[in-house]
Amino acid sequence: MSIRMNRRTLLASAAGGVLALPFTSRGRAVAQAAKTVVLGGSIPLTGAAAETGMNVFAGYKTLVKFINEELKGFDVGGERVTFELNMIDDASEAQRATTLIQRQIDEGIEFFLGSFSSQIVLPTAAITERAGKVMVQTGGGSDQIFSQGFQSVFGMYPRASRSVYPAVDAFLSMDPKPQSAVVIYTNDPFSRLQADGVTAYIKEQGMNLLETYSLPAEVTDVSGVLASIRELKPDVALCVTHDQNSQLITAQMAATNTNVKGLFQVLGPATENYRKSLGNKADDIFAVTSWSEDMKYGDDIVGTAKDFANYYRKVETRPLVFHVVNGAQCIMIYMRAMQAAGSLEPMAVRDAIKGLDIMTFGGPIQFMPEGDGHPVKMGLKIAQVQKGELKVVFPKEVAAASAIWPMTPWDAR
Amino acid sequence: MHVFLQTLLDGLMLGGLYALAASGFSLIFGVMGILNLAHGAFLVLGAYVGLQISQSLSIEPILTLPAVVVVLFAAGALFQRYLVQLTVDRGGLVASLLVTFGVSLIIHDLLAHFYGPGSRTIVSSYAYSRIEFGGLVIGLSRLVPLVVSIVLILALHFMLARSRLGREMRAASQQIVAARLCGINVRRVFALTFGIASAYAGVAGVLVGTVLPFSPNSETYWTISAFVVVVLGGAKSPAGTLLGGLLLGILNTMTAQFISPLFTSTVMFLVLVLMLLVRPQGILGHAAGATR
């Protein structure tokens, strides 16, 4: 009895095996042909930078999924290549991030993606650089990252001190042209760099800089700053502040009827939480973005900006913001550089990245010799919240809408 | 003069929030001698409970307060009964520091998991309304918390001074053994104290949420500010907490206005150090040694 059953089992297994053979062998053939390149790195999925970290991570995941599942990989020197992500939560802490990166280097990972925040990217980039590995990141724009002679670290943004220039340019393109400005900034290394850069640029452009206000990272009240603004009556206010502080500034400006012709905030308006919490008080506020799905960008791999947006919404649930797109572009950069190099050798890929001058669904890609993004091609675009949505309004060539200028007074909303 | 008066008013409004946020912390410290490092986490938890109810039922945030009180009271009482008390029994008051700190981390992580790490705001219908007189502006969203703070702190004061539970709390805070000999169920009193303190933290959380953006990370700030308020005003005294809160608010806005917003924490801690050196029991507090 038991022998008969064993035979039956054996026969059934053999039959199953024969039937499954074409599939398993084909699967194995694909698996054997496709070489998997591991992209390592840390990312803040918890802690202070988690909100944006999760957006960047969503971008990484989306394009890896697209390349692996929709394209079934890509050819590098006659070999089929797919990507595998090995990203670990660094809890928004530089110390934890450096430990994780060192461990990944010891495990033999050659290509790295970035965390979010210059304070994390800078020390981790120093480690990958020293180890002769490549890093493409969209989380650090601090000047320090690009002024240390790193050869294998590439950033998706122009360096911090120049990154807010487009906001000033946008305001100067308005009619009537604003004459005076104040700058409010969070006193952390990155925001301060941005603020120092933009205050110098404001003066350079002939605008009257009335005051600069420095805020600590945790603020519970900005009524003093706003009282001063009501006295000074500047045409525009530029806030180089974090999400939470930007939200507080807007809410208190609205509550105290502190009006300016233009309010610009580096962080805040791009997040859905900000726009949802403030409702129509978020309207007309200027913000930075590097991307909008209405932009006429595209490539022959993913398609247009709209195609990317549609695919993203199919596979991810987080809101589509520009950090997502920048994250996805980091993966695209690796893919295009590996194809151009025809090799997976890190230094060959590094050199190919240096030579990239391409258009993608997320916009043009070209790096400066120091590794930062080309200030014009990869410079931030200025968007404005219009009826709850971010619309690119500057530069005019890529604008999806005309700017509302001056912004609607708070009481008229 | 106008700027000074406006800054003073802004300070009072902000101070109302600080006072209410610290009242639960002060009550626990005054009655049980425990520095509840989870206080800020309970406050933020209250904000999220208020946000959840307000959004789910589409009601005014202030109407969520009864539900928030019930939830936070239960959470606080259970926390004390089944965790803090057991720890204190076995490891003394110092062990309670570790437990409350650990619980604050757990609450933080759970909130970040369920609600995400980003900042939220509880939107009220009066969020952008204001009263103006003589060129001075008072935002209604800041005036309401001040009024609620004063009412609730007065209620706490009368409860401690006049009610049976208040007398039991005061007795337990002075001499546990003597209180037990008088027939007071000290464990029950301590659990109720923690429950009431947590409910106050929850109410403060909802009101903070209508004024300021909050996130799971905000808990640290509110624990520290509660500590400063208690040092300024004095433990075991609701009036001291109110005074400490208002002083801290005024100190904060005056520093921001006349020195720099950057130095608000510096000045706050400078005053804290001075108070500890000159009058460690706080302005309206009892001598430090007598709080237990």
Side-chain angles (χ1 to χ4, degrees):
Chain A
M1 182 73 175
S2 94
I3 293 169
R4 203 181 301 157
M5 275 189 75
N6 282 342
R7 276 182 186 163
R8 274 184 191 164
T9 311
L10 189 67
L11 280 171
S13 305
V18 169
L19 285 172
L21 195 60
F23 302 101
T24 51
S25 58
R26 194 167 66 179
R28 196 175 298 137
V30 170
Q32 278 171 351
K35 184 177 173 66
T36 301
V37 172
V38 178
L39 301 174
S42 76
I43 191 85
L45 300 178
T46 54
E51 182 80 17
T52 318
M54 287 196 283
N55 288 338
V56 172
F57 188 43
Y60 291 159
K61 284 191 294 179
T62 302
L63 214 70
V64 166
K65 191 176 176 68
F66 182 86
I67 289 169
N68 291 353
E69 294 180 8
E70 302 296 320
L71 305 180
K72 311 285 183 211
F74 56 99
D75 288 328
V76 177
E79 199 173 20
R80 202 74 183 157
V81 171
T82 58
F83 284 133
E84 181 189 321
L85 280 178
N86 185 358
M87 305 296 293
I88 308 172
D89 179 18
D90 58 30
S92 312
E93 289 170 12
Q95 201 178 357
R96 185 171 155 78
T98 50
T99 311
L100 293 169
I101 296 296
Q102 188 57 57
R103 199 172 72 199
Q104 290 188 328
I105 287 172
D106 296 342
E107 286 167 2
I109 292 176
E110 304 279 11
F111 301 102
F112 285 84
L113 295 162
S115 181
F116 189 82
S117 141
S118 290
Q119 289 170 39
I120 303 176
V121 171
L122 182 58
T124 52
I127 294 173
T128 57
E129 175 76 17
R130 207 166 46 234
K133 313 296 179 189
V134 186
M135 177 185 276
V136 179
Q137 53 89 13
T138 184
S142 170
D143 289 31
Q144 281 176 295
I145 298 171
F146 308 109
S147 57
Q148 313 221 6
F150 292 164
Q151 294 298 310
S152 310
V153 179
F154 303 90
M156 293 295 296
Y157 305 113
R159 62 186 62 188
S161 57
R162 300 170 187 160
S163 63
V164 192
Y165 287 7
V168 179
D169 294 337
F171 281 139
L172 290 174
S173 73
M174 302 293 164
D175 186 25
K177 198 187 273 192
Q179 302 297 321
S180 57
V182 293
V183 173
I184 306 168
Y185 68 96
T186 304
N187 191 31
D188 65 51
F190 185 72
S191 303
R192 193 165 187 158
L193 262 177
Q194 287 183 311
D196 287 348
V198 78
T199 48
Y201 192 62
I202 285 170
K203 290 178 195 163
E204 209 178 292
Q205 295 302 308
M207 277 176 91
N208 188 9
L209 180 70
L210 299 176
E211 189 62 85
T212 56
Y213 306 95
S214 171
L215 300 177
E218 190 91 43
V219 187
T220 50
D221 184 71
V222 287
S223 49
V225 170
L226 299 187
S228 166
I229 289 177
R230 286 197 296 276
E231 296 267 316
L232 294 171
K233 294 187 174 51
D235 287 337
V236 295
L238 294 99
C239 303
V240 188
T241 46
H242 298 174
D243 295 339
Q244 207 159 316
N245 290 355
S246 299
Q247 199 172 321
L248 177 68
I249 290 168
T250 306
Q252 279 198 257
M253 282 183 90
T256 55
N257 202 29
T258 306
N259 287 296
V260 286
K261 285 180 187 158
L263 173 62
F264 164 83
Q265 295 179 328
V266 169
L267 290 175
T271 66
E272 204 173 59
N273 273 342
Y274 175 99
R275 302 198 296 268
K276 215 166 139 186
S277 298
L278 290 167
N280 70 0
K281 305 295 179 193
D283 280 345
D284 302 359
I285 295 174
F286 292 87
V288 289
T289 184
S290 63
W291 186 84
S292 146
E293 60 188 280
D294 304 324
M295 285 175 164
K296 292 175 183 63
Y297 290 150
D299 56 57
D300 52 7
I301 296 169
V302 174
T304 62
K306 198 77 175 170
D307 292 335
F308 174 79
N310 292 337
Y311 179 75
Y312 175 78
R313 292 196 179 101
K314 262 200 300 192
V315 299
E316 285 286 337
T317 52
R318 290 190 67 76
L320 179 54
V321 295
F322 76 91
H323 290 113
V324 170
V325 182
N326 286 357
Q329 276 182 295
C330 291
I331 308 293
M332 175 67 99
I333 287 165
Y334 270 126
M335 175 183 165
R336 296 290 293 267
M338 285 168 182
Q339 285 178 318
S343 158
L344 297 176
E345 200 276 314
M347 290 306 105
V349 175
R350 189 266 317 262
D351 292 341
I353 294 174
K354 283 187 171 187
L356 283 181
D357 184 3
I358 55 172
M359 174 57 81
T360 72
F361 60 91
I365 300 285
Q366 189 183 359
F367 293 101
M368 301 299 282
E370 296 86 2
D372 51 337
H374 191 285
V376 177
K377 291 186 175 180
M378 296 172 73
L380 293 168
K381 316 295 180 280
I382 300 303
Q384 189 180 35
V385 183
Q386 297 185 353
K387 291 187 178 153
E389 287 190 16
L390 266 189
K391 298 277 181 195
V392 175
V393 294
F394 184 84
K396 298 264 188 294
E397 310 84 67
V398 291
S402 301
I404 296 169
W405 177 264
M407 63 189 285
T408 316
W410 302 112
D411 279 359
R413 292 165 188 238
Chain B
M1 190 60 185
H2 170 265
V3 173
F4 177 81
L5 286 177
Q6 181 66 60
T7 309
L8 187 68
L9 264 179
D10 292 334
L12 285 173
M13 305 293 134
L14 185 62
L17 275 182
Y18 281 132
L20 187 61
S23 53
F25 184 87
S26 169
L27 183 68
I28 291 173
F29 182 61
V31 174
M32 302 163 66
I34 288 173
L35 281 175
N36 179 18
L37 298 183
H39 183 76
F42 274 93
L43 184 145
V44 175
L45 177 65
Y48 278 100
V49 173
L51 175 74
Q52 185 70 57
I53 298 171
S54 169
Q55 283 185 344
S56 305
L57 304 179
S58 300
I59 56 171
E60 269 297 305
I62 208 152
L63 297 177
T64 67
L65 292 183
V68 170
V69 164
V70 171
V71 173
L72 269 290
F73 177 87
L78 291 172
F79 171 47
Q80 196 282 333
R81 192 72 188 251
Y82 296 105
L83 212 54
V84 177
Q85 189 62 54
L86 293 177
T87 316
V88 172
D89 288 347
R90 286 166 174 76
L93 286 175
V94 176
S96 68
L97 282 176
L98 280 176
V99 167
T100 54
F101 179 63
V103 167
S104 78
L105 292 180
I106 292 169
I107 293 175
H108 170 278
D109 288 352
L110 287 175
L111 289 174
H113 176 75
F114 288 111
Y115 290 96
S119 58
R120 303 291 187 101
T121 307
I122 305 174
V123 184
S124 63
S125 61
Y126 52 83
Y128 304 109
S129 305
R130 63 183 173 275
I131 301 166
E132 291 184 48
F133 62 95
L136 300 174
V137 184
I138 301 175
L140 216 55
S141 62
R142 291 189 174 234
L143 183 62
V144 170
L146 175 65
V147 174
V148 175
S149 294
I150 292 171
V151 170
L152 288 180
I153 290 172
L154 280 176
L156 187 63
H157 171 77
F158 284 113
M159 190 273 285
L160 282 172
R162 305 277 168 83
S163 72
R164 182 186 169 85
L165 177 62
R167 280 194 295 275
E168 289 178 348
M169 281 178 177
R170 283 187 288 131
S173 77
Q174 285 166 8
Q175 240 305 335
I176 293 177
V177 177
R180 280 193 180 126
L181 288 171
C182 292
I184 295 171
N185 183 345
V186 174
R187 281 177 185 265
R188 177 182 149 273
V189 170
F190 281 173
L192 287 175
T193 304
F194 233 97
I196 292 169
S198 303
Y200 267 69
V203 172
V206 175
L207 295 176
V208 163
T210 61
V211 176
L212 303 168
F214 60 91
S215 69
N217 289 335
S218 309
E219 50 104 6
T220 315
Y221 179 83
W222 289 104
T223 302
I224 292 171
S225 66
F227 185 72
V228 176
V229 168
V230 169
V231 171
L232 274 179
K236 210 175 155 185
S237 154
T241 308
L242 182 60
L243 184 67
L246 295 179
L247 276 177
L248 182 62
I250 293 169
L251 202 65
N252 205 310
T253 54
M254 289 286 177
T255 308
Q257 181 66 50
F258 298 110
I259 302 175
S260 161
L262 202 55
F263 294 112
T264 50
S265 297
T266 309
V267 173
M268 181 167 92
F269 283 99
L270 205 61
V271 172
L272 180 80
V273 171
L274 275 177
M275 279 301 293
L276 286 171
L277 289 173
V278 178
R279 195 176 162 80
Q281 68 269 37
I283 297 169
L284 296 184
H286 302 270
T291 57
R292 290 289 300 150

